[in-house]
């Protein structure tokens, strides 16, 4: 468990679509979607901490 291994952890449909595209636009879109989904919780938590910081300081 301490040594990371390479695994294929994507759904079969997403993988099939990405592998079938030659120009890579679909793969780029999927990657951008993943980044947006990952960034939203961090932005919300950062905003919450900023709000708490302003309440405490001011």
């Amino acid at each position: 468990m301490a040594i990371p291994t390479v695994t294929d952890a994507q759904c079969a449909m997403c993988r099939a679509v990405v592998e079938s595209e030659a120009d890579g636009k679909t793969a780029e879109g999927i990657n951008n979607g993943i980044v947006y989904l990952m960034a939203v919780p961090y932005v919300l938590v950062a905003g919450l901490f900023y709000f708490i910081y302003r309440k405490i300081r001011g």
Side-chain angles (χ1 to χ4, degrees), residues 33-51:
I34 290 168
V35 169
Y36 294 142
L37 288 173
M38 180 189 71
V40 169
Y42 287 108
V43 170
L44 291 175
V45 170
L48 177 66
F49 282 135
Y50 178 71
F51 177 74

Side-chain angles (χ1 to χ4, degrees), residues 9-53:
Q10 351 177 334
C11 68
M13 292 177 61
C14 297
R15 183 177 176 155
V17 169
V18 170
E19 287 179 351
S20 68
E21 292 289 320
D23 61 354
K25 290 289 187 184
T26 303
E28 185 179 342
I30 289 174
N31 287 339
N32 287 340
I34 290 168
V35 169
Y36 294 142
L37 288 173
M38 180 189 71
V40 169
Y42 287 108
V43 170
L44 291 175
V45 170
L48 177 66
F49 282 135
Y50 178 71
F51 177 74
I52 292 170
Y53 172 76

